[in-house]
Amino acid sequence: MPQPDTTTPGAPCWVQLTSSDVDRSRDFYSRLFGWVAEEPSPEFGGYFMFTKDGAAIAGGMGTIPGEAPSDTWSVYLSTDDAGKTTELAAEHGGQVLVPPMTVGDLGTMAFYVDPSGAAIGAWQRDRFAGQDVIGESGTPSWFELHTTRYEPALAFYRDVFGWDPQPVSDEPAFRYSVLRNEVDMLAGVMDATDYWPEGEASRWAVYVKVEDTDAALARAVELGGTIVDAAQDTPYGRLATATDPTGAVFKLLGTNLAAAG
């Protein structure tokens, strides 16, 4: 099947796990999704890649010494000019955590907190474009911002990353917009006001596509993960939310039971 173009400006192009227990995380995702945890790179501070069938699909690194552990998945959006994107992020209410930084001959990264409080990365490709495969089983395949500051978030991604958000629903109980290019839906933004506790921080979610959501969720628990949201059929597939053994949250996206049956 055709793969979404991760080089489209503003499109999710890479996901990265930060873990307080790298060995345990490497083992968990390898056994859950069939990923291969490649050897850490001393040149890049122990950074490593997860691959599947030889294709790069995610990155991983340990928490920074001296900082509080933050076990989480992060999303990077493609940009043609990391310097300009960083200027725009600061101008439009974002906090620049990591200014543009060249990563060998691979590309240039930057990292921000958007005005809704969610962390988001920017990646300007050089030799490395980002995720090789999207939309196949066992790969990160959907990327979604959950926020209680829906309108400011949409404005930020429009003004900084060039999004043209397309509303899917604007009902008070379900407000949702997507980023599209000419062919594909690339990412979503959900208004979480009605279902998140007051003070809950906005954050990006990474969905991994699976053949069987229930089986993958059960396997995650066997490997030391926990269930956050049990599997349920939705108009968008059978979804579930889990954590890995360190507490990093991820989501599962599979076929609805009714459709599978």
Side-chain angles (χ1 to χ4, degrees):
M1 63 179 292
Q3 300 300 319
D5 184 1
T6 59
T7 65
T8 299
C13 62
W14 191 240
V15 295
Q16 174 183 296
L17 174 68
T18 303
S19 173
S20 58
D21 190 337
V22 170
D23 289 342
R24 194 172 187 189
S25 296
R26 287 164 59 90
D27 180 71
F28 176 83
Y29 290 102
S30 297
R31 295 170 67 186
L32 178 60
F33 297 126
W35 296 356
V36 173
E38 303 292 345
E39 288 302 308
S41 170
E43 180 184 1
F44 299 119
Y47 196 92
F48 66 94
M49 289 191 183
F50 287 111
T51 62
K52 186 170 177 62
D53 300 325
I57 54 172
M61 61 181 292
T63 51
I64 298 174
E67 294 189 2
S70 179
D71 295 278
T72 187
W73 281 97
S74 301
V75 174
Y76 285 78
L77 305 182
S78 179
T79 177
D80 292 333
D81 187 334
K84 181 60 176 178
T85 299
T86 300
E87 292 176 5
L88 291 172
E91 290 173 6
H92 292 281
Q95 178 186 357
V96 178
L97 296 183
V98 180
M101 180 176 69
T102 301
V103 184
D105 62 353
L106 302 177
T108 302
M109 66 155 289
F111 207 73
Y112 325 118
V113 175
D114 72 25
S116 77
I120 186 68
W123 180 253
Q124 179 185 337
R125 66 179 295 183
D126 189 352
R127 190 169 62 84
F128 181 69
Q131 189 174 340
D132 286 338
V133 180
I134 294 176
E136 295 185 4
S137 181
T139 68
S141 296
W142 186 243
F143 316 92
E144 186 175 81
L145 174 63
H146 294 235
T147 178
T148 55
R149 302 192 65 209
Y150 181 73
E151 295 295 348
L154 289 179
F156 177 82
Y157 290 96
R158 180 192 65 224
D159 296 336
V160 176
F161 287 97
W163 282 25
D164 179 18
Q166 305 294 312
V168 173
S169 173
D170 203 30
E171 297 297 323
F174 181 53
R175 292 203 297 170
Y176 196 98
S177 293
V178 297
L179 165 66
R180 299 189 65 103
N181 61 15
E182 294 180 356
V183 178
D184 304 297
M185 291 192 299
L186 302 173
V189 179
M190 178 181 287
D191 186 350
T193 303
D194 286 346
Y195 66 90
W196 266 4
E198 185 175 352
E200 185 83 6
S202 300
R203 59 180 176 268
W204 278 84
V206 175
Y207 290 75
V208 180
K209 189 171 183 179
V210 293
E211 297 291 339
D212 185 326
T213 304
D214 297 79
L217 191 60
R219 180 60 171 157
V221 173
E222 290 176 5
L223 295 171
T226 60
I227 298 173
V228 178
D229 297 315
Q232 60 177 333
D233 284 356
T234 77
Y236 312 101
R238 188 161 178 80
L239 309 180
T241 308
T243 72
D244 68 20
T246 71
V249 178
F250 63 95
K251 291 179 176 284
L252 301 169
L253 168 61
T255 303
N256 283 335
L257 291 182

